[in-house]
Amino acid sequence: MTNTRRSGPDLTAAIMRTTLELGRELGYAKLSIEAIAARAGVGKHTVYRRWPSKGALLLDSLLSLSESALDYPDTGDVAADLRRQIYEAVDLLTAEPLRPLFQALVGEAQLDPGVAAALNERFIAPQAAKTVARLAAARDQGQLAPDFDLDLAMAILSGPLYFRLLITQEPLTHAYVDRILDALFAGMAARP
């Protein structure tokens, strides 16, 4: 008889897939490490050896969906590049049935400092750095005012998205992204 035990990356991937499947079915509040382990066919200790909490497991599971999807292009047109990248982020964050899981993850980060730190370190900060780097390149190319505050621009670009996703829960659409970018580029443009 051949042993078909999974190990290493295959087992980790299977647990993360199971987490997303169960999360979609049950919602985050009813999701448990025990249920994930049972569905994945592993012991709960196997899960806990890889992740210290349900929130940490959900973070890794969701991040596995977007490993390279949110990289910036540099076409020479900063507005087009921002639009494309933000569209991809919006599509990722609002894809049903995952939207409630992204919302739950951010909620969990408010309660679990470890999840908050990991979310910032592995998703928020890298995305912010990519945005600031793209804006810096545009500034260096003369597309933006030389004194434009790049960190503030990052906050202005992301704030309305999170506000809709988490607070008002209004639709987060490409048209909304267009409105944000159109409103901001008047202030971000290089001055003669």
Side-chain angles (χ1 to χ4, degrees):
M1 179 176 219
T2 304
N3 185 351
T4 59
R5 267 182 85 111
R6 296 169 294 177
S7 64
D10 291 339
L11 182 58
T12 298
I15 294 168
M16 290 190 302
R17 272 193 312 277
T18 300
T19 300
L20 294 175
E21 289 168 9
L22 273 176
R24 285 193 235 27
E25 291 171 23
L26 304 174
Y28 183 74
K30 294 181 181 175
L31 187 64
S32 70
I33 295 292
E34 291 76 13
I36 294 165
R39 168 91 54 103
V42 300
K44 69 180 181 179
H45 297 293
T46 299
V47 177
Y48 279 118
R49 274 195 297 275
R50 288 167 170 76
W51 297 278
S53 68
K54 175 175 78 166
L57 173 53
L58 180 61
L59 173 64
D60 280 355
S61 301
L62 288 169
L63 289 180
S64 73
L65 300 174
S66 66
E67 298 262 331
S68 64
L70 299 179
D71 288 336
Y72 270 97
D74 187 347
T75 65
D77 180 347
V78 68
D81 295 347
L82 287 170
R83 192 174 315 276
R84 178 176 155 203
Q85 195 276 348
I86 296 171
Y87 281 177
E88 288 179 13
V90 163
D91 292 347
L92 177 69
L93 293 172
T94 62
E96 293 297 339
L98 294 176
R99 179 184 176 133
L101 294 178
F102 281 110
Q103 291 168 318
L105 177 64
V106 175
E108 184 69 15
Q110 305 313 300
L111 304 172
D112 183 333
V115 171
L119 178 61
N120 185 55
E121 178 184 316
R122 296 181 51 220
F123 183 73
I124 304 297
Q127 286 309 123
K130 289 177 187 179
T131 301
V132 170
R134 181 61 190 96
L135 291 169
R139 181 193 58 205
D140 295 345
Q141 297 163 355
Q143 295 178 43
L144 302 175
D147 62 344
F148 192 78
D149 186 332
L150 301 178
D151 292 323
L152 180 60
M154 171 56 208
I156 291 169
L157 288 169
S158 61
L161 303 178
Y162 286 108
F163 181 73
R164 275 206 172 185
L165 179 71
L166 301 171
I167 306 300
T168 68
Q169 298 192 13
E170 294 173 76
L172 194 50
T173 64
H174 290 193
Y176 183 65
V177 170
D178 291 341
R179 287 175 49 211
I180 294 166
L181 289 171
D182 292 346
L184 290 177
F185 266 99
M188 289 173 42
R191 294 174 196 94

